[in-house]
Amino acid sequence: MKFALLGRLATIAAVAVAILVPIHMIEGKIAERQATAEGVVQGFASETSGPQVVAGPFLALSCEETVMVERQVMHEGKAQTISEPRTNTCPTAFFTPRTFGAAANAPVESLHRGLYAIRLYRAELTLDGAFEWPEPPPTEGAIRREWMQAWLVTYVKDPRGIKALASATAPAKGAPPTVRAIERFAIREPLGSWSGRKPGTPVEFSYRLTLAGTSSFGIAPVGGANDIRITSTWPHPSFGTSWSPDERSINAAGFDARWRMTAEATGGEARWRQRLAKEPLEIPDAGVTLYDPVNVYLLAYRATEYAFLFVLFTFAALALAELLAGIRLHAMQYALVGSAIAIFFLLLIALSEHYPFRESYAGSAAACVGLLTWYLRHPLGTWLRAALFFALFVSLYGSLYVLLQSEDNALLLGSLMTFAVLAFAMIATRKLDWGAVSRGFLSPSRKAPA
């Protein structure tokens, strides 16, 4: 007899755990829809152009080395050793600008493919700066090296996004074919032969570039002194790149961000040569990701993480009503109430794919609160008790919305809610005779009110 109450609580707990099964299935559906949305964005990027990173220009110099090679020849029946020069190709060298400035204005356009949104930008980009002609390559013993041909080369992550290009640099006439080392660069401008160039002479460059892309945009700080500025109409930037901006301004009209860096912060020319020698290229950049603060799949998934608290609070309130009001609820009634709670999350993701998240949340919550209140009116016996549960459901759904909008305070608010429910249950049952309550659960006369 003394275990009757514990058995009752175990039954309610078993129903609560069973409700987690459909909630877990809904989580899987949310993940599936999110993967589909990401696939649509990637498919669009594969057809047009994806995230963009611009690095350069770099000054590329091809190199030749002359080596004296000894070989034996026969002359008048005698073997003789002669020395003759042999020319080999040595690795192409890359040099970074002394000064580098970049300015980009990237207005964002929101497109839709079916239900899914795609963020597309068309950046108007300006690159300015100056190089210094380097010293001749070092000589090692009998090996003599010489710079041959010069290019200005610029890396663009997805060259398909280049819509327009203008350069102030006059290309060399009769330019030689491109060497293999610079084939990976989307923009290659020949400067002609290095011969006769005086070391230290400035070489200025200026580009005007229209570049389309999706999701993110970055500019690599390749110079000794860098000044990079990016503006856009997108009001939700995320600057989670290699360097945070030194200045930023964000409002409803968009953002304005600026980076200033020296070679000491970027690793300088030696570090850039190491990066360019790797395959594939790994380019750190100063840039921005077009963050979507109302990612309906992320918000819906986060909502399901609090689903068990919904079930816990509701079932605890119903069990408390059984104890205090002398009513008796069947396990099936608990199961139906839990199912209505679970269906809220499915409604939420289904509606939010078609309508703004706030309206979708309000509609889903209103439908479930109305259904739960109407259903519980009969087993609870009076409209007053139903009204108390209506207030409970409104508080739960309102608190969940606050949690979703304020991720930083989610743990605090969730902890306070749990403590408040526990405190209310302890205060409300502090004078209960639990032995009498347990015996009451065995009494055949204990019935739900008509």
Side-chain angles (χ1 to χ4, degrees):
M1 179 181 297
K2 63 182 180 179
F3 296 108
L5 179 59
L6 293 179
R8 178 66 175 169
L9 295 177
T11 301
I12 296 173
V15 174
V17 172
I19 295 300
L20 295 182
V21 175
I23 291 176
H24 180 69
M25 295 173 64
I26 293 171
E27 287 182 345
K29 176 57 66 175
I30 294 172
E32 176 189 330
R33 301 295 287 181
Q34 183 174 13
T36 302
E38 293 173 353
V40 168
V41 174
Q42 293 173 0
F44 181 84
S46 67
E47 298 169 7
T48 54
S49 56
Q52 294 287 17
V53 175
V54 178
F58 299 96
L59 177 61
L61 294 177
S62 63
C63 175
E64 286 187 358
E65 62 182 17
T66 302
V67 182
M68 300 304 295
V69 178
E70 294 182 348
R71 65 185 184 92
Q72 288 187 337
V73 297
M74 299 298 296
H75 181 67
E76 295 181 355
K78 296 181 179 179
Q80 293 184 352
T81 301
I82 62 173
S83 296
E84 59 183 11
R86 177 180 295 175
T87 301
N88 300 320
T89 300
C90 46
T92 299
F94 295 94
F95 300 87
T96 57
R98 181 189 63 207
T99 60
F100 176 75
N105 181 32
V108 177
E109 179 184 2
S110 293
L111 305 178
H112 284 81
R113 178 166 288 183
L115 297 174
Y116 308 105
I118 301 169
R119 314 299 179 195
L120 174 69
Y121 60 82
R122 186 179 290 263
E124 297 295 336
L125 177 62
T126 300
L127 304 175
D128 298 291
F131 292 89
E132 289 183 352
W133 282 109
E135 297 289 336
T139 299
E140 297 180 9
I143 301 176
R144 295 186 297 105
R145 295 188 177 91
E146 182 180 4
W147 303 129
M148 300 301 295
Q149 301 294 329
W151 290 267
L152 287 183
V153 296
T154 303
Y155 171 80
V156 178
K157 185 174 182 178
D158 192 340
R160 295 174 303 165
I162 301 176
K163 303 302 180 183
L165 174 64
S167 172
T169 306
K173 296 181 179 180
T178 301
V179 298
R180 185 176 182 82
I182 65 172
E183 288 180 350
R184 69 178 77 178
F185 296 92
I187 303 173
R188 303 182 292 269
E189 284 198 292
L191 300 181
S193 172
W194 183 85
S195 178
R197 311 259 186 182
K198 183 179 180 181
T201 302
V203 179
E204 296 183 350
F205 62 87
S206 179
Y207 288 98
R208 300 295 181 269
L209 181 66
T210 301
L211 187 64
T214 57
S215 303
S216 63
F217 175 63
I219 302 172
V222 298
N226 303 275
D227 188 347
I228 299 172
R229 183 182 181 185
I230 301 176
T231 60
S232 176
T233 56
W234 188 248
H236 310 292
S238 175
F239 300 108
T241 54
S242 302
W243 293 275
S244 295
D246 298 287
E247 302 173 11
R248 69 182 74 182
S249 174
I250 305 172
N251 52 47
F255 71 87
D256 186 342
R258 193 165 189 171
W259 293 258
R260 294 186 180 90
M261 286 163 285
T262 62
E264 287 71 24
T266 63
E269 190 170 79
R271 186 70 183 94
W272 279 109
R273 286 179 180 175
Q274 294 175 2
R275 295 185 181 110
L276 296 176
K278 294 181 179 179
E279 188 67 44
L281 290 179
E282 296 179 2
I283 304 294
D285 63 275
V288 61
T289 298
L290 305 179
Y291 173 71
D292 188 354
V294 189
N295 185 321
V296 295
Y297 303 104
L298 178 60
L299 291 175
Y301 186 83
R302 284 179 53 201
T304 59
E305 293 179 338
Y306 298 97
F308 182 71
L309 285 180
F310 269 56
V311 177
L312 174 65
F313 292 164
T314 303
F315 282 19
L318 290 173
L320 193 61
E322 288 194 59
L323 294 175
L324 299 179
I327 61 176
R328 185 70 176 268
L329 300 176
H330 194 274
M332 182 57 68
Q333 291 172 309
Y334 277 93
L336 291 173
V337 169
S339 299
I341 293 174
I343 205 68
F344 160 77
F345 301 99
L346 187 60
L347 281 175
L348 177 61
I349 187 61
L351 289 176
S352 59
E353 287 187 332
H354 296 271
Y355 305 101
F357 184 80
R358 180 183 300 178
E359 287 77 358
S360 300
Y361 187 95
S364 303
C368 291
V369 169
L371 176 62
L372 287 168
T373 305
W374 179 84
Y375 176 75
L376 289 174
R377 161 63 184 87
H378 180 74
L380 292 176
T382 67
W383 277 110
L384 177 60
R385 294 170 187 164
L388 292 176
F389 271 85
F390 173 80
L392 171 65
F393 294 136
V394 171
S395 300
L396 285 176
Y397 285 104
S399 299
L400 177 60
Y401 187 79
V402 174
L403 285 172
L404 297 179
Q405 299 300 313
S406 180
E407 184 177 3
D408 294 339
N409 300 319
L411 179 60
L412 174 61
L413 185 55
S415 301
L416 292 176
M417 290 171 58
T418 306
F419 178 80
V421 171
L422 178 61
F424 178 79
M426 293 176 67
I427 294 172
T429 60
R430 68 189 185 279
K431 295 182 179 180
L432 278 182
D433 183 346
W434 291 100
V437 171
S438 182
R439 290 189 295 273
F441 273 99
L442 295 177
S443 174
S445 61
R446 185 181 178 88
K447 298 179 181 180

